[in-house]
Amino acid sequence: MTAPTPALNNPALSSAARNLHWLLTNLVEEVPGLLSVAVVSSDGLLLLSSDPGHSRQQGATDHSGGPKGSSADLATIVSGVGSLTIGAAKLMDGGGVKQTMVAMEEGSLFVMSISDGSLLGVHATPDCDMSVIAYHMALFVGRAGHVLTPELRSELRQSMESTR
């Protein structure tokens, strides 16, 4: 997977946005087995991804970069899984959902809460080291959670829309 780097050199972005892009790039470069990564707002909008501005043709059979289509597809999946697990936790009086993991024959999906309903989603290879991915996701969440303000989320949304 190619690391997301174009936003790092974009002077139009705030330093907080560039720092968040740097954290995502670091996650992608340091953790083996990642196919696709997405940060999603509480309302399901893609804020940050491992392939900004890059989308594959619909119906593509290449699964090396994540779900068919683009990181927007991963964002949709992450948002749906997040919503489902939050509802389940409420019904079970389980408290807040910290992490969700789905193991599939051909890959794994990890969803972790960041802050204010924002989520970090990772699609990984079937042979990934789940504990390493969970550890690095927790590091990302710890570093990104306090800076992901409403203003920064708005800036990231606008940045993602301008790359399409």
Side-chain angles (χ1 to χ4, degrees):
M1 176 169 67
T2 306
T5 55
L8 293 176
N9 301 321
N10 185 346
L13 291 177
S14 68
S15 64
R18 286 193 308 275
N19 287 340
L20 207 53
H21 278 278
W22 179 84
L23 284 173
L24 184 74
T25 299
N26 214 22
L27 175 70
V28 168
E29 290 177 348
E30 288 186 9
V31 182
L34 298 187
L35 296 173
S36 187
V37 180
V39 175
V40 182
S41 67
S42 60
D43 52 0
L45 295 175
L46 181 62
L47 299 177
L48 205 60
S49 76
S50 59
D51 59 341
H54 173 73
S55 63
R56 282 175 227 86
Q57 297 296 332
Q58 289 296 333
T61 56
D62 173 23
H63 297 285
S64 63
K68 294 177 191 167
S70 70
S71 56
D73 292 335
L74 179 60
T76 301
I77 293 164
V78 167
S79 181
V81 168
S83 179
L84 180 64
T85 56
I86 288 168
K90 285 180 183 175
L91 286 172
M92 296 177 190
D93 292 325
V97 177
K98 295 178 182 179
Q99 181 178 5
T100 304
M101 200 280 293
V102 179
M104 302 169 281
E105 287 180 17
E106 298 299 323
S108 297
L109 172 68
F110 301 83
V111 179
M112 191 174 283
S113 299
I114 299 176
S115 64
D116 296 340
S118 297
L119 301 166
L120 171 64
V122 169
H123 177 217
T125 60
D127 60 345
C128 70
D129 187 332
M130 294 180 193
S131 62
V132 169
I133 290 176
Y135 172 76
H136 282 276
M137 287 177 72
L139 286 178
F140 180 93
V141 166
R143 294 172 180 155
H146 67 281
V147 298
L148 204 52
T149 62
E151 295 80 18
L152 182 55
R153 284 194 296 272
S154 178
E155 179 183 359
L156 292 170
R157 272 190 215 136
Q158 290 172 356
S159 173
M160 287 301 292
E161 289 172 4
S162 69
T163 61
R164 290 187 179 148

